[in-house]
Amino acid sequence: QVQLVESGGGSVQAGGSLRLSCSVSGDGYSCMGWFRQAPGKERERVASIESDGSANYADSVKGRFTISRDNAKNTLYLQMNSLKPEDTAMYYCAASSTWYCLTTPTSFDFWGQGTQVTVS
């Protein structure tokens, strides 16, 4: 069983930065990703990264967010710069047993509890 615990959310002014972390325990995962969900909206993929470091981003965050993973520390990160009010959402860390990353939430098997990001 894989367990994921996010940290690093908070409130920040537009233009500011935050770094989210996700501590992972357990085995059986390969692809990892960050998703977000704003009130009244569907959960959407923000970024994903495969075990070899190959990363993909949603168009809305390209050039502003960076996903990375430290396999030795079993930790996933999301560096968020130039934050905008529309980035406000609950952010979730997720892991998949597949080595390649897909974009849909249903393709991920394990989820964290979420961390709130608010940009004003």
Side-chain angles (χ1 to χ4, degrees), residues 35 43 94-98 102-111:
F35 286 75
R43 190 169 296 190
S96 171
S97 57
T98 60
L102 299 174
T103 61
T104 59
T106 54
S107 65
F108 286 76
D109 307 291
F110 310 103
W111 292 86

Side-chain angles (χ1 to χ4, degrees), residues 12-113:
V12 65
Q13 291 188 336
S17 298
L18 283 173
R19 188 174 84 152
L20 305 183
S21 298
C22 175
S23 178
V24 187
S25 61
D27 297 313
Y29 66 95
S30 182
C31 167
M32 298 197 70
W34 289 98
F35 286 75
R36 66 186 181 188
Q37 188 168 19
K41 294 189 177 181
E42 293 186 351
R43 190 169 296 190
E44 63 173 356
R45 188 208 59 157
V46 174
S48 55
I49 186 168
E50 296 169 357
S51 58
D52 66 355
S54 299
N56 284 282
Y57 298 89
D59 288 343
S60 59
V61 306
K62 279 182 182 177
R64 300 188 298 123
F65 290 11
T66 302
I67 188 172
S68 61
R69 62 193 289 174
D70 186 331
N71 293 327
K73 294 183 178 180
N74 295 322
T75 304
L76 179 72
Y77 302 99
L78 184 68
Q79 178 67 43
M80 305 185 293
N81 299 327
S82 302
L83 282 160
K84 303 175 181 180
E86 50 263 44
D87 295 318
T88 295
M90 184 71 78
Y91 282 70
Y92 298 90
C93 172
S96 171
S97 57
T98 60
W99 65 268
Y100 54 90
C101 292
L102 299 174
T103 61
T104 59
T106 54
S107 65
F108 286 76
D109 307 291
F110 310 103
W111 292 86
Q113 80 289 352

